[in-house]
Amino acid sequence: MAAELVEAMNMVKSFRVSDLQTLLASMGRSKSGLKQDLVGRALRLVQTEYSPELLKNVRQLYETRFPKAPGWLAARRPEGVQAVSYPSLNSSPRGATQGTDYLNGMPKLAAPPAAEVKLVALPFYHNLETLLPPTELIAQNSEKLQDSQCVFELTQSQVDQIRNSSELRPGVKSVQVVLRICYTDSNGVQEDQYPPNIAVKVNQSYCHVPGYYPSNKPGVEPRRPCRPVNITPWLHLSTATNRVTITWGNFGKRYSVAVYLVRVFTSAELFNQLKLCSVENAERCRERIQDKLRFDPDSEIATTGLRVSLICPLVKMRLGVPCRALTCAHLQCFDAVFFLQMNEKKPTWTCPVCDKPAPYELLTIDGLLSEILKETEDVEEIEYLTDGSWRPIRDEKDKDRERESSRTPEYPLVDICVPEANGHSPSHSSTSQTGKSVSGGPAVGVAGPGGASGGGAVVDLTLDDSSDEEGGGGGAGDSEDTEDSQDSPPPKRGRYDYDKDLVTAY
């Protein structure tokens, strides 16, 4: 029993975080914490509650973790696990015997097949053929920097596919041979993941591997985009043997490598597929809105409307093609064209609204919001109502502008051309054919509609009680004063004859 206990503890020490969490959860223990906490908790569990059921769980997890133990694990192989011999990384070239072929003086890499490893499907890469299935990279010695080699050949049909394919850009074909690397893990599908210090040499020439993204945040290490490596330009486009050497850092993690013949799509091609295959009609969108706004008697808060912005959260511009993932709970959309272009450059496939996964196969175009965008040009926000209808939401500036345009004057307009309309009696002012006032006060002449001064009205601006009294006795005396004033200089003090400076307003 002591030997089995030691064996189980050794198995637990080799577990990953996911294995430790599975083991602890199966025994009713907490699975939260760092790896070192999980390891200590699992070891205490094995020591204190050792049982055949617990040993069975540990062995099952260990066999899942190491389905076929290589030679360096033979000493730690649990009971019941048989030693097996493994084939080479790939089939030998024609005419060579497996296990005896040598490349550049080095034996071909002997590695366990990792057929159970599944790589995640990539929207921009469509697999045409598998040239090398996922196969684990095995360290040949204890050095930190390892070299692993593999060989494969292209058939004449595959060569013709590459040569006859269209160009994505000058010198880059749409049909390519790509190298993909991921963690060796049979649980679920695996994303591309480069090992440390990776370098890829194809037929004695180093090929380009994507570099690191610069980080603008202090204290954050740059992140490397892990994507398929295009090795087509360095291949022999014939039936000759192609040799690939992978340099990688051996720091305890296990990696698998695979080679595929793929067809590469552009963001424009994916967008065309999206328009053809994944458009949610307007009626279905209205049903979704009504479901969200349906009255819930158990809820204390009643929602009468949902606001949706017509501005894309990615580029802060008006939406062109509204899109969202089917798994998203919100109605807010982002622009499909910009979303695909950004993932073509830097694939993340994350919803910019809720930060949840938004894979390409779950994207859909909102048919109702597409119709709304066509009907509105100067609106940046709308509100969905409980019946599935909508109304535009305008900002305060637009509201102030509309209020200003619809405001009526508080005071009536005064027509100075008509004396009676201004509250003056005809006796206060009169109009002559010359546009001059008969009374002695100043006046303003307004031209008639025809532009002539003869038809305008003259308004006396100096009439008051005193002027009326002084001008009330006008007659012969006034005419005599006028004749005398022509022969004598104007008096220093007295009234100014405004009639001489009468101005006609046009």
Side-chain angles (χ1 to χ4, degrees), residues 139-178:
Q140 299 296 305
N141 48 50
S142 59
E143 297 293 331
K144 294 301 182 183
L145 207 58
Q146 297 288 327
D147 284 336
S148 301
Q149 296 185 357
C150 63
V151 295
F152 64 91
E153 299 169 356
L154 297 174
T155 65
Q156 188 59 46
S157 173
Q158 294 167 349
V159 172
D160 294 339
Q161 279 184 282
I162 297 173
R163 287 179 173 173
N164 298 331
S165 63
S166 59
E167 289 190 345
L168 299 175
R169 54 184 181 273
V172 180
K173 294 288 188 177
S174 58
V175 176
Q176 303 173 359
V177 176
V178 297

Side-chain angles (χ1 to χ4, degrees), residues 305-310 318 369 371-385 387-396 398-399 402:
L306 287 173
R307 290 194 174 191
V308 172
S309 175
L310 303 185
R318 184 177 172 84
L369 199 57
E371 296 179 357
I372 295 174
L373 288 168
K374 294 178 182 179
E375 298 177 12
T376 59
E377 296 182 356
D378 57 346
V379 178
E380 296 184 353
E381 189 177 18
I382 63 168
E383 182 179 13
Y384 288 125
L385 304 179
D387 59 351
S389 60
W390 61 276
R391 66 181 184 90
I393 301 296
R394 302 185 182 276
D395 55 15
E396 293 300 326
D398 293 337
K399 292 180 180 179
E402 292 180 357

Side-chain angles (χ1 to χ4, degrees), residues 90-307:
N90 194 20
S91 58
S92 303
R94 287 191 296 267
T97 303
Q98 181 172 320
T100 62
D101 183 50
Y102 287 79
L103 299 177
N104 303 326
M106 293 182 59
K108 290 178 60 179
L109 175 63
E116 67 275 5
V117 175
K118 296 181 180 180
L119 282 157
V120 65
L122 301 177
F124 290 100
Y125 297 86
H126 173 63
N127 287 350
L128 301 176
E129 295 185 48
T130 300
L131 305 179
L132 176 66
T135 309
E136 185 175 354
L137 298 174
I138 296 298
Q140 299 296 305
N141 48 50
S142 59
E143 297 293 331
K144 294 301 182 183
L145 207 58
Q146 297 288 327
D147 284 336
S148 301
Q149 296 185 357
C150 63
V151 295
F152 64 91
E153 299 169 356
L154 297 174
T155 65
Q156 188 59 46
S157 173
Q158 294 167 349
V159 172
D160 294 339
Q161 279 184 282
I162 297 173
R163 287 179 173 173
N164 298 331
S165 63
S166 59
E167 289 190 345
L168 299 175
R169 54 184 181 273
V172 180
K173 294 288 188 177
S174 58
V175 176
Q176 303 173 359
V177 176
V178 297
L179 181 77
R180 299 184 66 181
I181 304 177
C182 67
Y183 287 131
T184 303
D185 190 351
S186 58
N187 296 330
V189 294
Q190 302 300 312
E191 297 182 352
D192 293 69
Q193 185 65 49
Y194 295 157
N197 308 111
I198 183 175
V200 179
K201 186 164 61 174
V202 181
N203 296 325
Q204 306 305 315
S205 298
Y206 284 99
C207 67
H208 172 72
V209 178
Y212 288 89
Y213 287 138
S215 177
N216 298 327
K217 299 180 180 179
V220 178
E221 294 184 0
R223 191 176 65 87
R224 191 169 200 168
C226 298
R227 59 177 63 189
V229 181
N230 180 20
I231 62 176
T232 312
W234 296 273
L235 294 177
H236 299 309
L237 293 183
S238 63
T239 56
T241 301
N242 292 285
R243 295 173 172 83
V244 178
T245 303
I246 304 168
T247 303
W248 55 286
N250 180 23
F251 295 98
K253 292 186 178 181
R254 302 167 61 193
Y255 296 89
S256 293
V257 60
V259 180
Y260 299 98
L261 181 70
V262 300
R263 162 78 162 87
V264 181
F265 294 106
T266 63
S267 59
E269 291 173 321
L270 289 187
F271 174 66
N272 291 332
Q273 294 180 13
L274 189 66
K275 289 194 301 182
L276 292 175
C277 305
S278 185
V279 178
E280 191 173 20
N281 61 61
E283 192 60 35
R284 178 67 186 91
C285 295
R286 291 189 183 92
E287 294 177 0
R288 185 192 297 269
I289 295 169
Q290 292 173 354
D291 291 341
K292 284 186 173 294
L293 296 177
R294 183 173 288 113
F295 175 72
D296 185 2
D298 298 332
S299 176
E300 297 180 357
I301 301 176
T303 305
T304 59
L306 287 173
R307 290 194 174 191

Side-chain angles (χ1 to χ4, degrees), residues 279-471:
V279 178
E280 191 173 20
N281 61 61
E283 192 60 35
R284 178 67 186 91
C285 295
R286 291 189 183 92
E287 294 177 0
R288 185 192 297 269
I289 295 169
Q290 292 173 354
D291 291 341
K292 284 186 173 294
L293 296 177
R294 183 173 288 113
F295 175 72
D296 185 2
D298 298 332
S299 176
E300 297 180 357
I301 301 176
T303 305
T304 59
L306 287 173
R307 290 194 174 191
V308 172
S309 175
L310 303 185
I311 303 299
C312 176
L314 286 171
V315 292
K316 308 304 179 184
M317 296 172 57
R318 184 177 172 84
L319 289 169
V321 182
C323 176
R324 65 172 176 271
L326 292 173
T327 53
C328 290
H330 52 79
L331 298 176
Q332 179 64 51
C333 292
F334 48 84
D335 192 272
V337 175
F338 289 115
F339 184 74
L340 292 175
Q341 290 176 352
M342 294 178 69
N343 281 280
E344 185 178 21
K345 299 294 182 183
K346 183 180 177 181
T348 58
W349 300 105
T350 303
C351 175
V353 179
C354 61
D355 290 331
K356 294 182 179 180
Y360 174 76
E361 58 270 14
L362 294 180
L363 296 181
T364 181
I365 296 176
D366 191 315
L368 176 60
L369 199 57
S370 298
E371 296 179 357
I372 295 174
L373 288 168
K374 294 178 182 179
E375 298 177 12
T376 59
E377 296 182 356
D378 57 346
V379 178
E380 296 184 353
E381 189 177 18
I382 63 168
E383 182 179 13
Y384 288 125
L385 304 179
T386 54
D387 59 351
S389 60
W390 61 276
R391 66 181 184 90
I393 301 296
R394 302 185 182 276
D395 55 15
E396 293 300 326
K397 293 182 179 179
D398 293 337
K399 292 180 180 179
D400 294 341
R401 194 179 301 113
E402 292 180 357
R403 194 182 302 113
E404 189 69 25
S405 60
S406 61
R407 182 180 297 171
T408 55
E410 298 180 359
Y411 302 99
L413 296 176
V414 178
D415 187 1
I416 61 175
C417 296
V418 183
E420 292 83 350
N422 300 330
H424 296 289
S425 61
S427 61
H428 288 175
S429 61
S430 60
T431 306
S432 65
Q433 292 296 328
T434 60
K436 292 186 178 183
S437 175
V438 177
S439 61
V444 179
V446 181
S453 61
V458 179
V459 181
D460 193 345
L461 303 179
T462 61
L463 290 178
D464 53 18
D465 296 338
S466 60
S467 61
D468 290 341
E469 293 176 359
E470 293 176 1

